[in-house]
Amino acid sequence: MNTEDLGNSKILNLLFKPAGMLMGSRARGWLMNPVKTLQGAGIQPGQTVLEVGCGTGFFTIPAAGLIGDQGNLVAMDALSDYTKRVSTKVQSAGLKNVRVVKRDALDTGLDTASIDKVLLFGVIPFPSLPLNQLLPEMHRVLKTEGTLAVWLFPVSGWVPKSIVRSGLFKYIHKRNGVYNYRRC
Ligand SMILES: C[S@@+](CC[C@H](N)C(=O)[O-])C[C@H]1O[C@@H](n2cnc3c(N)ncnc32)[C@H](O)[C@@H]1O
């Protein structure tokens, strides 16, 4: 499905537009510290990071802080409501190291081997991001030594097993609730 069709798809809009209120709510910030979760992904200053399904930007702004001025964050989402909201937040925060992209993450359009770390935070499992298409695309855009960081919501035991079974990623460790993998 192309990005335009995906952005207009009923399932995405029905599920994620109401969910946007929860994703961006203050209560979420009280229940969960996004920086601590991002630290579980081992983000290093200066890295180039792809955030798949940035939603309302709960992780985007803190991730940009961890990457720093020398790094780059590509915040990607298929829904323009979200990319607009995140762009506004990025501008308000005066961040120069974030590029917000409206695009289907199954076909990112990013250069091969251009990314140090991919964040899949709160985006799998979901029908619009099937692992058999998502993982090869993430493998393609990651550099040889690149890593994949996965924070699962809802927690789904079969997902970590499927990632390893794909043969594309090797499990490293789980930290602060985040599963980390190295590109094979
Ligand atoms: C549950 S939300 C999580 C948002 C954010 N990561 C967070 O934790 O607050 C999932 C996000 O993935 C996006 N999404 C779903 N399928 C996508 C796809 N194929 N390409 C890009 N984004 C997608 C949705 O639009 C939504 O913003």
Side-chain angles (χ1 to χ4, degrees), residues 16-39:
F16 287 129
K17 285 199 174 159
M21 282 168 68
L22 289 173
M23 284 192 277
S25 75
R26 282 194 187 179
R28 188 176 181 197
W30 298 329
L31 294 169
M32 179 183 192
N33 178 347
V35 173
K36 191 173 173 205
T37 308
L38 285 163
Q39 283 167 340

Side-chain angles (χ1 to χ4, degrees), residues 17-158:
K17 285 199 174 159
M21 282 168 68
L22 289 173
M23 284 192 277
S25 75
R26 282 194 187 179
R28 188 176 181 197
W30 298 329
L31 294 169
M32 179 183 192
N33 178 347
V35 173
K36 191 173 173 205
T37 308
L38 285 163
Q39 283 167 340
I43 290 178
Q44 299 298 319
Q47 285 189 322
T48 299
V49 174
L50 167 64
E51 181 191 14
V52 170
C54 59
T56 57
F58 182 75
F59 291 108
T60 311
I61 308 301
L66 291 172
I67 292 163
D69 293 343
Q70 304 305 311
N72 287 294
L73 175 64
V74 181
M76 187 171 286
D77 206 286
L79 291 184
S80 54
D81 274 12
Y82 289 150
T83 51
K84 282 180 196 156
R85 278 168 77 167
V86 174
S87 297
T88 304
K89 282 188 183 179
V90 166
Q91 276 185 344
S92 307
L95 293 168
K96 302 273 180 257
N97 60 350
V98 183
R99 183 159 64 97
V100 183
V101 178
K102 178 180 177 287
R103 181 100 189 188
D104 183 353
L106 300 180
D107 174 22
T108 60
L110 298 175
D111 288 345
T112 299
S114 59
I115 301 290
D116 294 304
K117 188 178 289 291
V118 168
L119 302 179
L120 300 179
F121 274 27
V123 293
I124 52 172
F126 196 77
S128 59
L129 288 164
L131 291 184
N132 63 350
Q133 293 175 56
L134 179 65
L135 294 179
E137 177 63 356
M138 299 302 105
H139 185 269
R140 184 187 71 76
V141 299
L142 277 168
K143 296 177 185 173
T144 315
E145 294 295 310
T147 53
L148 176 75
V150 182
W151 175 71
L152 293 170
F153 188 82
V155 174
S156 327
W158 62 268

Side-chain angles (χ1 to χ4, degrees), residues 1 5-18 79 126-128:
M1 199 184 287
D5 292 344
L6 183 67
N8 293 331
S9 90
K10 280 192 181 140
I11 186 151
L12 265 191
N13 283 287
L14 273 174
L15 280 166
F16 287 129
K17 285 199 174 159
L79 291 184
F126 196 77
S128 59

